[in-house]
Amino acid sequence: MLLAFELANARCRNTAWHPPLNFVVIGGGATGVELAGAIIDIAKLYMHHDFRHIDPTKARVLLLEGSARVLGAFPPDLSAKAEAELVRLASRCTPAHT
């Protein structure tokens, strides 16, 4: 993940453009949900201090799950809460890019 941000930053510094920063997590089980949440947190809360030529808060995380819901082994109410929390994390206000 860090390498992707570094490469985008270097490319943007040299060409004023970089490809979108998209991260794909395959599997909506406990590990996939946790990983997707961690990537969102890192990109939105911590990376903006380290990169001056890109806006890490614009990174997207795509969580792919083959079944009807994430955390399919858990009760439906917990699955719905996890999905809502991921959406909240992805859409929350991000720090100003400085």
Side-chain angles (χ1 to χ4, degrees), residues 3-98:
L3 181 59
F5 283 112
E6 288 175 349
L7 291 172
N9 194 62
R11 181 159 186 181
C12 197
R13 182 178 58 239
N14 294 333
T15 66
W17 177 86
H18 69 86
L21 287 163
N22 296 320
F23 299 91
V24 179
V25 177
I26 299 174
T31 302
V33 168
E34 186 173 350
L35 181 59
I39 293 171
I40 293 168
D41 268 350
I42 291 167
K44 289 192 176 266
L45 298 177
Y46 304 108
M47 294 298 212
H48 68 280
H49 295 295
D50 298 319
F51 298 97
R52 301 290 178 230
H53 301 284
I54 64 170
D55 183 358
T57 65
K58 303 275 189 223
R60 290 186 340 152
V61 178
L62 305 169
L63 177 59
L64 304 180
E65 171 55 42
S67 66
R69 58 188 175 92
V70 297
L71 298 179
F74 290 81
D77 63 323
L78 292 178
S79 174
K81 286 179 184 178
E83 183 178 345
E85 181 64 12
L86 285 172
V87 170
R88 186 191 71 76
L89 286 172
S91 63
R92 73 176 165 212
C93 294
T94 57
H97 185 67
T98 57

